[in-house]
Amino acid sequence: MRVIVLLGAPGAGKGTQAPLLSASLGLPHIATGELFRSAARAGTALGLEAKSYMDRGELVPDDLTVRMLLERLRQADAESGAILDGFPRTVAQAAALDGALAAEGGHVEQVPYIELPEEELFNRLSGRWICRAAGHPYHLRLNPPRVPGVCDEEGSPLYQRSDDVPDVVRARLAAQLAPFHEVVDYYRRAGVLAPVDGDQSVEAVTSALLDTLLAAGERG
Ligand code: AP5
């Protein structure tokens, strides 16, 4: 089972890169933020509880998040592995993932880390608009669609996530960067962290991530 954790602070470019890596590596893309948003749209108890934290920019509690992620990892399409986006976000989540994988004789294989200066994260998040049909992210200035307000791939209208308004973006960064850096240290100590410069074009970041992942795959 090949489990790759795609690490990056909020807004670093995980959701932009993960579908491209997923297509190249043939592994499903599992994003905890997206799992929470779709549960909230469906009106489930888990989704509504998660939404109350997300709307305040806070992390959803570990027990809820770990349970949901492990359930998703047990589905048939993830039998040979997955690319995780937005998980783990605390050391407790990282340890729970390690424990669950170890019980099956597995481990986190590699942790590519999209690094971006903190001052750039606010710009990336507050200018982001998302495709309603499939969640493709755009940026009003940095990564605009060909036709304003319309997704290049789906032709569907773009909308702004409720947690991308400036006040919630500030709250997310204030609450989430410290636990995020603890997770970075956790994987650095485990010797699996592979930093990639996120402050370059989307194509250049994809190619740096693929170089890192394919080299690791060949080393086996
Ligand atoms: P989640 O949905 O995971 O949000 P996030 O981690 O805050 O990350 P984002 O999706 O906001 O950013 P991204 O890195 O994917 O950047 P993107 O590619 O879109 O989580 C939402 C909430 O759910 C959390 O706040 C929390 O409450 C909860 N949650 C989720 N997982 C949890 C967990 N494990 N534990 C507890 N709570 C959890 O790019 C950003 C922008 O930049 C876009 O506009 C894009 O077009 C642009 N861009 C991307 N790359 C480039 C580039 N190279 N050049 C120029 N522009 C670029």
Side-chain angles (χ1 to χ4, degrees):
M1 191 182 196
R2 185 173 191 200
V3 174
I4 293 167
V5 169
L6 181 60
L7 215 56
K14 305 178 297 294
T16 300
Q17 297 297 334
L20 304 169
L21 302 182
S22 167
S24 294
L25 301 174
L27 293 171
H29 165 206
I30 298 180
T32 39
E34 199 40 55
L35 294 177
F36 285 135
R37 280 186 289 278
S38 84
R41 280 193 297 272
T44 66
L46 177 139
L48 297 177
E49 184 175 353
K51 189 171 182 328
S52 68
Y53 292 95
M54 294 164 82
D55 284 347
R56 292 195 298 268
E58 294 170 15
L59 289 176
V60 178
D62 287 338
D63 56 343
L64 212 66
T65 308
V66 168
R67 217 172 340 119
M68 179 187 70
L69 185 274
L70 294 182
E71 218 167 88
R72 175 65 186 85
L73 257 187
R74 278 185 217 109
Q75 288 176 15
D77 65 329
E79 208 168 79
S80 54
I83 299 171
L84 304 186
D85 158 5
F87 184 97
R89 280 171 122 101
T90 63
V91 167
Q93 291 180 14
L97 177 64
D98 280 350
L101 294 176
E104 317 265 320
H107 62 279
V108 171
E109 185 172 298
Q110 210 185 9
V111 182
Y113 168 27
I114 307 175
E115 280 190 295
L116 197 69
E118 281 180 19
E119 57 275 17
E120 198 46 40
L121 298 172
F122 181 84
N123 295 335
R124 291 265 185 109
L125 289 170
S126 52
R128 173 170 58 186
W129 285 68
I130 312 259
C131 138
R132 197 162 291 284
H136 301 292
Y138 293 88
H139 192 282
L140 292 181
R141 186 170 43 83
L142 301 170
N143 183 26
R146 284 192 292 271
V147 177
V150 180
C151 176
D152 292 349
E153 290 176 54
E154 313 291 333
S156 87
L158 305 183
Y159 74 100
Q160 188 177 38
R161 257 169 54 178
S162 58
D163 59 349
D164 279 349
V165 297
D167 281 353
V168 185
V169 169
R170 277 186 210 99
R172 283 161 70 191
L173 294 176
Q176 298 187 20
L177 286 179
F180 168 72
H181 286 298
E182 289 172 12
V183 173
V184 171
D185 287 342
Y186 178 93
Y187 286 122
R188 186 178 286 117
R189 281 197 298 276
V192 285
L193 194 75
V196 160
D197 179 10
D199 202 4
Q200 42 182 348
S201 70
V202 170
E203 295 74 20
V205 177
T206 311
S207 136
L209 287 168
L210 281 175
D211 284 352
T212 299
L213 290 166
L214 295 173
E218 279 160 21
R219 282 198 303 273

